[in-house]
């Protein structure tokens, strides 16, 4: 989202970290909920979150509670330990610390101390979603920030999550930076990485696409039949990654190929420093690959991304959901809808060409692999969604190798022999192409 804003001449989201400060942006969703027979309420510019007293929703909470939970969470990071209900402290180590903090932040049933650390992330959404009617005096329901199906429409969503990310970065900043031996894959050298596309080498093309969608997502349009709607969205020309590898180990090995993309300059056109750039790295793909002895070439289609799901699964009809609610078939169907829409894989770019850098790393699969059986048929977006009812299929932290600060002063200084980069350009065309109805 930050990179998309920069492509459109906007700054990165300003953190929403002062809960007493008015929210500058207003948001008018123009949405109706047919199921609930209600219109989603707006949030006017300059709104401020206030203490909640809504007996009808069984919600009573003060803004000061958010501040207390935030301060306690940050104190746990400072202490590198979490306070338990019995008064003991559990250290936050490199292996499990992020999981412990994540469970506190999301306040799941496995939170180590929900009564003390509260429910910061979710209640932040709730406070914002009721900013227009905190005491129910106008009989209004929650705004879009109160529902995970609609929250991402509101610009304040990204301001709130930017701050949540900042809090987790405080923990990452407390960890020891990786040494090169954590990165290196002895005997494996990535000679080069690049992009092959119809637009030319290392050039990515984006444009608008107009699609026709059948609105049969559980809605009943009988007796007149279904309704087709046209909408315009971002799209890109497909491309291939081309990676040249030299294996001097004398034997074939298995590697994990990790591909990222990041902007080069900030909003003002100045080069990003490496700490800013690593936090703007967008994971493009991650896959295992056999690497024979000697020189070899790896080719990977953008359509195979471990982040995305195809257009057809993003916009499929919910009326085709099999089985009864709660059944294994229904759960599998729902999980198959998890994944970033493939048409949004790369940022919009600009008409003059937006400079980015492509990064490739091949790590040792023996250090990465998680031994487990796989289930289900939809594991193609495992980077974002994991695998249903199984462990996340990578022993390294999410975002590795950019998940914690580095002693390197630049991306080039960061590289080890099993890494490579390539400058690329994203060129946006204002043309609109038409996709046929599905």
């Amino acid at each position: 989202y930050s990179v998309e804003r920069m492509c459109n001449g906007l700054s990165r989201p300003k953190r929403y970290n002062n809960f007493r400060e008015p929210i500058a942006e207003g948001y008018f969703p123009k949405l109706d909920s047919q199921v609930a027979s209600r219109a989603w309420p707006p949030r006017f510019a300059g709104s401020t979150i206030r203490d909640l007293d809504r007996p009808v929703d069984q919600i009573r909470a003060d803004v000061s509670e958010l501040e207390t939970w935030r301060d306690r969470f940050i104190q746990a990071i400072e202490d590198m330990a979490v306070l338990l209900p019995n008064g003991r402290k559990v250290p936050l180590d490199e292996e499990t610390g992020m999981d412990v903090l994540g469970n506190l932040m999301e306040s799941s049933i496995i939170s180590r101390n929900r009564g003390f650390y509260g429910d910061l992330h979710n209640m932040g959404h709730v406070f914002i979603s009721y900013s227009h009617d905190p005491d129910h005096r106008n009989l209004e329901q929650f705004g879009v920030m109160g529902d995970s199906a609609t929250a991402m429409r509101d610009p304040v969503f990204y301001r709130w999550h930017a701050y949540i990310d900042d809090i987790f970065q405080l923990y990452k900043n407390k960890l020891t930076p990786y040494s090169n031996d954590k990165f290196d894959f002895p005997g494996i050298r990535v000679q080069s990485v690049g992009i092959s596309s119809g637009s030319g080498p290392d050039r990515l093309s984006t444009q608008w696409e107009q699609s026709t969608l059948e609105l049969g997502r559980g809605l009943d349009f009988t007796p007149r039949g279904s309704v087709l709607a046209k909408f315009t969205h971002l799209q890109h020309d497909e491309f291939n990654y081309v990676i040249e590898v030299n294996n001097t180990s004398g034997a074939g090995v298995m590697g994990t190929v990790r591909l990222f993309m990041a902007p080069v300059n900030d909003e003002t056109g100045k080069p990003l420093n490496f700490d800013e750039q690593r936090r703007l790295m967008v994971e493009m793909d991650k896959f295992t690959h056999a690497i024979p002895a000697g020189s070899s070439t790896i080719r990977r289609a953008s359509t195979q991304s471990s982040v995305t799901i195809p257009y057809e699964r993003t916009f499929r009809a919910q009326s085709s959901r099999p089985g009864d609610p709660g059944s294994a078939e229904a759960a599998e169907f729902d999980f198959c809808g998890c994944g970033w829409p493939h048409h949004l894989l790369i940022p919009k770019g600009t008409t003059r060409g937006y400079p980015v850098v492509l990064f490739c790393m091949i790590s040792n699969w023996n250090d990465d692999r998680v031994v487990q059986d796989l289930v289900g048929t939809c594991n193609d977006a495992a980077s974002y969604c994991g695998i249903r009812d199984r462990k996340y299929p990578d022993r390294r932290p999410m975002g590795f190798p950019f998940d914690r600060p580095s002693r390197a002063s630049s991306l080039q200084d960061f590289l080890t022999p099993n890494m490579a980069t390539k400058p690329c350009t994203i060129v946006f065309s204002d043309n609109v192409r038409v996709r046929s109805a599905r």
Side-chain angles (χ1 to χ4, degrees):
Y1 180 75
S2 294
V3 182
E4 290 285 8
R5 286 180 63 93
M6 293 162 72
C7 287
N8 284 278
L10 301 171
S11 62
R12 283 165 278 180
K14 179 186 176 184
R15 275 64 179 151
Y16 180 60
N17 54 11
N18 182 349
F19 306 152
R20 308 289 175 167
E21 183 178 86
I23 300 171
E25 305 91 345
Y27 182 67
F28 292 76
K30 305 292 193 295
L31 280 177
D32 291 327
S33 174
Q34 188 175 25
V35 175
S37 298
R38 75 179 185 97
W40 290 84
R43 184 188 65 257
F44 290 90
S47 296
T48 305
I49 65 171
R50 290 171 286 170
D51 298 344
L52 298 178
D53 184 11
R54 296 180 58 96
V56 67
D57 300 305
Q58 298 182 331
I59 298 175
R60 179 169 291 169
D62 294 347
V63 176
S64 61
E65 292 180 68
L66 271 187
E67 295 167 329
T68 298
W69 295 338
R70 184 260 314 275
D71 295 344
R72 288 173 177 174
F73 199 95
I74 292 175
Q75 189 61 53
I77 294 171
E78 281 296 311
D79 297 340
M80 286 297 281
V82 169
L83 183 69
L84 299 181
N86 62 10
R88 289 195 308 111
K89 286 192 173 183
V90 174
L92 296 172
D93 59 35
E94 290 195 10
E95 292 296 317
T96 63
M98 183 57 84
D99 290 335
V100 171
L101 289 174
N103 291 329
L104 290 184
M105 178 65 77
E106 194 59 23
S107 198
S108 68
I109 58 172
I110 50 177
S111 168
R112 294 295 184 92
N113 195 347
R114 186 170 188 171
F116 186 73
Y117 292 103
D119 192 4
L120 178 61
H121 162 240
N122 290 318
M123 285 304 295
H125 275 261
V126 171
F127 271 97
I128 295 171
S129 73
Y130 284 123
S131 61
H132 62 287
D133 193 12
D135 55 10
H136 200 230
R137 71 177 59 192
N138 298 308
L139 307 182
E140 286 285 337
Q141 296 188 45
F142 56 82
V144 295
M145 275 288 281
D147 190 324
S148 58
T150 54
M152 289 176 70
R153 293 170 172 268
D154 192 332
V156 79
F157 172 94
Y158 303 93
R159 293 189 58 194
W160 177 233
H161 276 263
Y163 183 49
I164 296 296
D165 286 351
D166 283 351
I167 294 175
F168 282 109
Q169 283 295 327
L170 294 176
Y171 165 71
K172 289 289 188 176
N173 292 343
K174 300 279 281 188
L175 302 180
T176 305
Y178 291 121
S179 55
N180 282 354
D181 64 300
K182 293 289 187 181
F183 296 151
D184 203 17
F185 190 175
I188 300 300
R189 177 178 289 273
V190 178
Q191 305 279 50
S192 66
V193 62
I195 284 175
S196 171
S197 73
S199 304
D202 306 316
R203 182 183 170 104
L204 297 162
S205 296
T206 64
Q207 62 278 318
W208 298 122
E209 182 172 87
Q210 187 180 83
S211 295
T212 303
L213 181 67
E214 182 178 341
L215 298 181
R217 302 170 64 83
L219 302 180
D220 184 6
F221 290 111
T222 56
R224 67 176 182 174
S226 190
V227 172
L228 299 179
K230 287 184 178 180
F231 70 107
T232 303
H233 57 85
L234 189 64
Q235 185 58 278
H236 61 271
D237 292 342
E238 300 300 350
F239 56 93
N240 293 301
Y241 303 101
V242 182
I243 307 161
E244 301 290 345
V245 188
N246 188 25
N247 176 4
T248 59
S249 68
V253 296
M254 289 295 293
T256 304
V257 182
R258 303 170 185 272
L259 293 162
F260 291 82
M261 186 178 288
V264 175
N265 302 319
D266 66 13
E267 302 90 331
T268 66
K270 296 179 181 177
L272 288 161
N273 66 53
F274 181 53
D275 194 58
E276 289 180 301
Q277 189 179 45
R278 73 170 183 86
R279 291 190 59 183
L280 290 168
M281 283 284 175
V282 178
E283 184 171 348
M284 304 294 288
D285 202 352
K286 179 170 58 181
F287 59 95
T288 58
H289 200 278
I291 304 172
S295 297
S296 61
T297 301
I298 300 173
R299 296 182 183 275
R300 174 83 166 183
S302 58
T303 52
Q304 296 174 280
S305 173
S306 65
V307 169
T308 64
I309 58 174
Y311 177 94
E312 290 74 18
R313 292 225 310 269
T314 297
F315 295 107
R316 64 193 173 163
Q318 294 298 302
S319 57
S320 62
R321 193 173 189 250
D324 297 324
S327 67
E329 295 85 1
E332 177 71 8
F333 179 86
D334 290 344
F335 188 78
C336 286
C338 181
W340 193 249
H342 185 71
H343 60 276
L344 299 178
L345 175 63
I346 60 175
K348 176 186 172 186
T350 60
T351 54
R352 290 187 295 179
Y354 187 76
V356 293
V357 60
L358 176 66
F359 169 91
C360 175
M361 173 186 187
I362 300 181
S363 56
N364 190 336
W365 181 70
N366 287 324
D367 296 334
D368 306 334
R369 66 174 175 166
V370 176
V371 179
Q372 60 184 351
D373 64 315
L374 300 183
V375 293
T377 57
C378 297
N379 298 320
D380 46 350
S383 283
Y384 273 19
C385 305
I387 297 174
R388 188 166 69 90
D389 298 331
R390 295 294 186 270
K391 293 180 178 179
Y392 188 75
D394 187 357
R395 287 176 59 190
R396 310 275 194 167
M398 290 184 182
F400 178 83
F402 299 110
D403 60 292
R404 65 175 73 172
S406 169
R407 296 188 180 96
S409 59
S410 67
L411 182 57
Q412 290 304 309
D413 187 39
F414 179 78
L415 300 182
T416 52
N418 58 320
M419 303 177 185
T421 62
K422 190 63 176 287
C424 299
T425 305
I426 305 175
V427 180
F428 171 71
S429 168
D430 209 22
N431 296 328
V432 179
R433 69 185 187 192
V434 178
R435 176 189 287 262
S436 60
R438 297 289 175 128

